[in-house]
Amino acid sequence: LPDRIIYLKMDPVIAASRGDYGAERFEKLDFQQTVAQQMDNLAGSSSIVNIIDSNRDPDAIFEDIWKIMQSIY
């Protein structure tokens, strides 16, 4: 098992509103909603999952990830 799983959680509707969304086969709203639900289930049942709110500024997301990585190493 990995030491940590970093789940970059973003509302699928917000992700779909970004430019070029839908160009790849996995970028379909119904698929992304299913994946988000499964990741939420995993996060609720595992202590190694760290959830990062990815609806924010990229610099804030980086800072959260950096703190997690520093706590591991």
Side-chain angles (χ1 to χ4, degrees), residues 21-67:
Y21 184 87
E24 295 187 26
R25 78 181 227 205
F26 295 113
E27 292 180 338
K28 306 296 180 218
L29 187 56
D30 60 332
F31 177 77
Q32 289 299 315
Q33 288 171 327
T34 300
V35 170
Q37 181 61 48
Q38 293 301 318
M39 287 300 297
D40 288 341
N41 292 342
L42 175 64
S45 65
S46 177
S47 62
I48 66 169
V49 178
N50 294 95
I51 300 172
I52 304 292
D53 177 5
S54 295
N55 296 309
R56 303 173 299 141
D57 175 71
D59 289 334
I61 296 167
F62 171 81
E63 288 299 322
D64 286 351
I65 294 170
W66 185 245
K67 287 176 189 173

Side-chain angles (χ1 to χ4, degrees), residues 10-22 27 29 32 55:
M10 175 176 277
D11 184 319
V13 174
I14 292 173
S17 71
R18 293 185 170 188
D20 294 327
Y21 184 87
E27 292 180 338
L29 187 56
Q32 289 299 315
N55 296 309

Side-chain angles (χ1 to χ4, degrees), residues 3-9 39 43 46-53 64 68-69 71-72:
D3 292 329
R4 293 282 188 273
I5 296 171
I6 299 175
Y7 170 26
L8 300 175
K9 183 174 182 171
M39 287 300 297
S46 177
S47 62
I48 66 169
V49 178
N50 294 95
I51 300 172
I52 304 292
D53 177 5
D64 286 351
I68 293 167
M69 297 307 294
S71 75
I72 297 170

